[in-house]
């Protein structure tokens, strides 16, 4: 009889195959529950205990959740679609199948990738080596920004204006770091110090791999650390960046030019090929000033090493295995706790999604999205909007003026479901079946040019920021719109085969969550047209802030891992959205089922099914390294608190499970905004 380890290995092998169709997981899974737990004591364990026991974190993942499991099933389906698209004769392929299929095919050709070694970055490395003065840096950085992702030195792109709805403007943002955020460079605790020294060793190793001799690589890594630490000190924290007024600083281009002796901004701007503009939004002026100081202070050799490191870092995943392995050892294993690198097929599907997402999305949607599901989602969004409308009307703390503006914002909010109305045209991207790195560079350059070309033009309101297979959704404050991709409207998230209770608890709460982002601590600063404008009376704004503080006070007490608590100012917007989301979903479910006699199922009342369906959205395990990283950078609270931190603020929950006062899921103090 094979031992458990062999059985597990066999099961994993069997799972690692492309799928012909998505497997079915019910929207409420009784097997995922642990009914030995009292729901009023630990609702997360009650709803997710079985799931957590049966779903250990796979070795190539740093966390594992219902969300990620569904996303991985989507990847397996896409894998099958891509293999078929790659194998079909050219005459039988749609343009989308041709681009995505060939991109995937070239990516899977590991022999060619290994044979290419570091050649794909050879020309860029030579250009960096040939840099003769700091004055030449602007042109070189513009060239690298075109086909290298990752914000070397800073970011430059196009975003909607916050002052003039409907117009795209240039945004110049902070960047230039190799660690996930500025706090990684400045915090004094033992784990942060350990990460920094591992990072410096990693930079040294990567430099050596790219051809820098040993002693110079060590000195180079120290220079990189010095430059990045100076930039990090001048950067905003992730929580500070939530403040839209803080990152809106329109700056005349002429001022950039005169401010700088070290960096030739006019040459940079011209070399990007972006349409000329009189001003740019500098998201972090202090960062830009620090960058200028560093440019003047550090020797040219340090900058050449810095550019080399960022080029190697951005490209390592696409190069031969020595580069992949070194990259994984730090970013996957050390920083986030993964045990092994993801299989090649998974990386190739995700890169196809990242580079040619709407070609792949077109293939996905044709396979999975039914008109019925679109209609269900449409009806749900309408009900959630109506629920928010009713809440705005009866909000006892809001003045008539603010209420009027809130009503106006809600009725102007748009939504998109499933996929973009028109698919992106990739005909300008040349995709070769035998040149993976070339495909990545051309697809990245296509995206960069597409974004830059928007500067000065109208905002395209049909454009999507997520690809259709994504198991995710978003609200965009500048466009005042919500987007729900096809990938998040499939079981176990939305399950049309079940009663409405779990689906409204899950997908309804997601819709409510996204809608509420329009009215959270960040979104509330934008008006109905997406303009950054204060539409709140001072008294109403004060009351909003008082109520938000109530929520932040609760979440700040929750532990993420060991001695790390939730950064409640970082997670505030998401916590506000979670709370409003479940309340709106509850109201919408009442509307959808009004007048109907609802039956218990699986030993749960309809009300209990609503809440279990909601919580089962969040079932997740995370490695401790991942938990620490997310505590610093992820605006979402950990899954356990997104359930157990939420329920004490939802009186309908305590009623549904007949919880008694004093039990952990019954709030002593109930926080409420909307
Ligand atoms: Zn959110």
């Amino acid at each position: 009889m094979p031992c458990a380890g062999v059985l597990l290995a066999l099961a994993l092998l069997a799972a690692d195959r492309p799928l012909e169709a998505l497997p079915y997981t019910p929207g409420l899974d009784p097997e995922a529950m642990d009914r030995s737990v009292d729901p009023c004591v630990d609702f997360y364990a009650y709803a997710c205990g079985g799931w957590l026991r049966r779903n250990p974190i796979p070795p190539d993942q740093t966390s594992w959740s219902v969300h990620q499991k569904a996303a991985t099933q989507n990847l397996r389906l896409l894998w099958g679609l891509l293999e078929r698209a790659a194998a079909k004769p050219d005459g039988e392929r749609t343009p989308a199948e041709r681009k995505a299929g060939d991109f995937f095919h070239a990516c899977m050709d590991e022999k060619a990738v290994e044979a290419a070694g570091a050649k794909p970055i050879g020309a860029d490395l030579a250009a960096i080596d040939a840099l003769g003065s700091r004055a030449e840096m602007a042109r070189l950085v513009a060239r690298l920004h075109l086909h290298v992702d990752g914000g070397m030195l800073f970011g430059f792109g196009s975003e909607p204006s916050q002052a003039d709805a409907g117009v795209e403007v240039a945004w110049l943002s902070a960047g230039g770091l190799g660690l996930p955020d500025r706090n990684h460079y400045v915090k004094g605790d033992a784990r942060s110090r350990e990460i920094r020294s591992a990072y410096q060793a990693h930079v040294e190793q990567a430099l050596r791999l790219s051809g820098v001799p040993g002693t110079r690589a060590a000195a180079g890594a120290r220079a990189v650390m010095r430059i990045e630490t100076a930039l990090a000190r001048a950067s905003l924290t992730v929580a500070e960046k939530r403040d839209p007024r803080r990152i809106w600083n329109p700056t005349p281009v002429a001022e950039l030019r005169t401010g700088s002796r070290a960096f030739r901004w006019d040459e940079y701007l011209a070399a990007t090929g972006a349409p000329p503009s009189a001003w740019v939004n500098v998201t972090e002026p202090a960062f830009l000033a620090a960058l200028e100081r560093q440019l003047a202070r550090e020797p040219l050799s340090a900058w050449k090493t810095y550019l080399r490191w960022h080029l190697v870092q951005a490209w390592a995943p696409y190069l031969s295995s020595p580069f992949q392995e070194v990259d994984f050892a730090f970013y996957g294993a050390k920083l986030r706790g993964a045990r092994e690198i993801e299989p090649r097929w998974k990386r190739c599907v995700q890169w196809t999604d990242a580079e040619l997402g709407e070609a792949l999305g077109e293939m996905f949607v044709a396979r999975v999205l039914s008109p019925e599901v679109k209609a269900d989602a449409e009806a749900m969004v309408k009900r959630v909007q109506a629920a928010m409308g009713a809440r705005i009307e009866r909000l006892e703390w809001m003045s008539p003026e603010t209420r009027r503006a809130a009503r106006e914002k809600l009725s102007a909010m748009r939504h998109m479901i499933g996929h973009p109305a028109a698919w992106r045209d990739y005909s300008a991207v040349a995709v070769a079946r035998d040149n993976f790195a070339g495909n990545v560079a051309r697809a990245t350059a296509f995206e960069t040019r597409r974004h830059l070309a928007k500067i000065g033009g109208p905002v395209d309101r049909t454009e999507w920021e997520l690809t259709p297979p994504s198991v995710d959704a978003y609200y965009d404050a500048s466009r005042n719109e919500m987007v729900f991709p096809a990938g998040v409207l499939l079981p176990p998230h939305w399950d049309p085969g079940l009663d409405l209770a779990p689906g409204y608890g899950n997908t309804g709460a997601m819709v409510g969550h996204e809608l509420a982002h329009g009215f959270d601590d960040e979104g509330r600063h934008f008006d109905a047209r997406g303009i950054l404008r204060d539409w709140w009376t001072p008294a109403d704004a004060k009351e909003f802030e008082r109520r938000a503080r109530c929520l932040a006070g609760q979440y700040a007490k929750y532990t993420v891992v060991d001695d790390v608590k939730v950064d409640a100012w970082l997670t505030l917007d998401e916590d506000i959205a979670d709370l409003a989301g479940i309340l709106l979903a509850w109201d919408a479910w009442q509307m959808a089922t009004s007048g109907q006699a609802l039956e218990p199922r699986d030993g749960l009342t309809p009300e209990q099914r609503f809440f279990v369906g909601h919580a089962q959205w969040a079932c997740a395990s995370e490695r401790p390294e991942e938990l620490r990283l997310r505590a610093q950078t992820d605006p979402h609270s950990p899954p356990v608190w997104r359930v157990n931190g939420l329920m004490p603020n939802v009186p309908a929950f305590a009623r549904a499970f007949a919880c008694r006062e004093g039990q952990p899921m019954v709030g002593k103090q109930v926080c409420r905004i909307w």
Side-chain angles (χ1 to χ4, degrees), residues 423-447:
W423 296 107
R424 188 159 301 150
D425 177 6
Y426 291 108
S427 54
V429 189
V431 177
R433 280 175 79 88
D434 59 357
N435 184 355
F436 170 57
N439 293 342
V440 171
R442 285 187 293 271
T444 307
F446 168 80
E447 263 304 286

Side-chain angles (χ1 to χ4, degrees), residues 473 513-514 517 573-574 577-578 636 642:
H513 173 107
E514 298 309 336
H517 274 316
D573 289 329
E574 296 298 335
D578 279 347
H636 303 90
R642 294 188 72 179

Side-chain angles (χ1 to χ4, degrees), residues 271-295:
T272 61
S277 53
W279 55 275
V280 297
N281 175 38
V282 176
T283 62
E284 298 184 34
F287 169 87
L288 216 58
L291 176 62
E292 298 280 359
R293 278 198 302 279
Q294 289 306 306
L295 281 166

